[in-house]
Amino acid sequence: MSKGSFPEIPRRPGALRGAPLAVSLAGVAAAGLAGWLMWDTGGDSGDGAKHPVGAASATKAPAPSAPKPPASPSSPAPGKPSGSPSQKPSPADDGPLPDGPLKGKVVVVDPGHNIRNSQHTAEINRSVDIGTGHKECDTTGTSTDSGYAEAAFSLDVAHRLRTILRAQGAQVTFTHDGDRPYGPCVTERAEIGNKARADAAVSIHADGSAVGNRGFHVILPAAVRGGRADTGPIVGPSKELGARIAGKFVQATGSAPSNYIGDKTALDERGDLGGLNLSTVPKVFIECGNMRDPQDAALLTDGAWRQKAAQGIANGITDFLRG
């Protein structure tokens, strides 16, 4: 798919949150995403947003013990991430918020997994209540064949995203910043967004599926109700947030929607993820690509591409918040 071929979604009048979806997602899919093949696959079955592994899918990657040192930016080794393994916050990330179009808005950014999770298997494997059932506290995530961890990728993109959003005046809250021994659990990740009364929340991931499965997809909360879970109030605005992020991600990165999840729409609805089930604010997950596919891995390990990914996510959030 060429850059910019995902059709623009008309802006909404009126309130920013809780408004009905202003455009038919089916129309978006038919107009902008036709022609992409769908494959039946899987990945990590934890709340890292992956689907159960199918017979034709790759198994979950071994948990990395620590991110590998970056290759020299001038001549990165094949399959190694270019640029720093975790983008350092800019000075603006710690300073006062500038005036901008997102002034007064709160965005919660959830970097998927934690690079130290593999050192705390008992803690992350303990069961937590997600309202409609029980799942692991957290999972280790996946990695590329060369050992670039999903947790390192997600934190790097999160730092880049924070810098972009703060420059527009948004208050950005992280669920963690690589400073915890493990986790946080999926229940706490949701609670951080709820307590912040976020106007939008995004969880950043990369998939761990079979070779040949390529592209990105955005996971939306299904309508679920049970225990502490009641996504009814957020299903509509979350779909709108997800659709806008998907469209802007295509434009910024040139990446194709997933050819194996989402039925050619780049959107996938899930009711088994605690991070979505327990959210009371508009929230989505984005799987930026498949780390187990060599072509997608070449993008995910490239610092310049990760900057484009962060920009696409930021553009979608901005579009949603500005209505």
Side-chain angles (χ1 to χ4, degrees):
M1 176 178 289
S2 60
K3 290 181 67 175
S5 60
F6 201 114
E8 289 288 335
I9 301 175
R11 296 194 178 279
R12 301 167 291 162
L16 291 177
R17 283 174 49 181
L21 186 60
V23 62
S24 166
L25 296 179
V28 171
L33 301 174
W36 296 105
L37 300 176
M38 179 179 178
W39 293 69
D40 187 16
T41 189
D44 186 340
S45 61
D47 202 35
K50 318 299 187 288
H51 288 254
V53 177
S57 299
T59 58
K60 181 178 169 183
S65 59
K68 296 196 174 184
S72 167
S74 61
S75 57
K80 301 292 184 180
S82 63
S84 61
S86 182
Q87 176 76 3
K88 298 298 182 183
S90 73
D93 287 338
D94 299 320
L97 289 171
D99 289 332
L102 298 185
K103 187 175 180 61
K105 302 301 177 186
V106 178
V107 179
V108 168
V109 176
D110 177 28
H113 310 288
N114 182 324
I115 198 65
R116 300 183 182 90
N117 276 357
S118 60
Q119 301 168 16
H120 298 272
T121 55
E123 291 88 347
I124 68 167
N125 286 335
R126 68 183 177 87
S127 180
V128 296
D129 185 356
I130 66 168
T132 56
H134 289 78
K135 295 193 78 169
E136 312 97 302
C137 160
D138 201 10
T139 55
T140 57
T142 187
S143 71
T144 65
D145 288 343
S146 64
Y148 183 49
E150 179 187 359
F153 167 84
S154 65
L155 189 59
D156 177 89
V157 174
H159 282 155
R160 297 171 189 269
L161 176 59
R162 176 172 62 186
T163 299
I164 297 168
L165 291 174
R166 281 182 57 90
Q168 298 183 67
Q171 177 183 330
V172 180
T173 298
F174 273 21
T175 58
H176 76 98
D177 198 5
D179 52 351
R180 298 176 59 132
Y182 65 89
C185 292
V186 297
T187 49
E188 185 180 352
R189 290 173 188 265
E191 189 61 25
I192 290 170
N194 298 344
K195 287 183 177 179
R197 300 179 61 84
D199 296 287
V202 178
S203 189
I204 300 170
H205 292 266
D207 211 350
S209 188
V211 174
N213 292 338
R214 297 198 60 201
F216 78 96
H217 63 279
V218 180
I219 302 175
L220 316 173
V224 299
R225 187 172 184 180
R228 293 187 297 125
D230 182 5
T231 60
I234 69 164
V235 165
S238 295
K239 284 184 177 179
E240 185 169 353
L241 172 63
R244 291 176 185 272
I245 288 176
K248 297 300 184 181
F249 196 85
V250 169
Q251 291 178 356
T253 66
S255 292
S258 171
N259 65 4
Y260 63 103
I261 290 175
D263 196 20
K264 310 180 183 75
T265 67
L267 303 177
D268 182 38
E269 192 175 273
R270 297 277 297 275
D272 63 328
L273 301 177
L276 296 180
N277 285 4
L278 299 176
S279 181
T280 59
V281 301
K283 184 174 182 179
V284 299
F285 283 44
I286 182 167
E287 298 278 3
C288 297
N290 176 18
M291 293 195 120
R292 309 303 289 177
D293 177 82
Q295 294 182 75
D296 270 12
L299 300 176
L300 298 167
T301 55
D302 180 67
W305 187 90
R306 294 195 300 273
Q307 185 65 32
K308 293 177 183 178
Q311 188 67 62
I313 297 169
N315 290 349
I317 294 171
T318 300
D319 203 40
F320 171 77
L321 293 179
R322 296 185 66 185

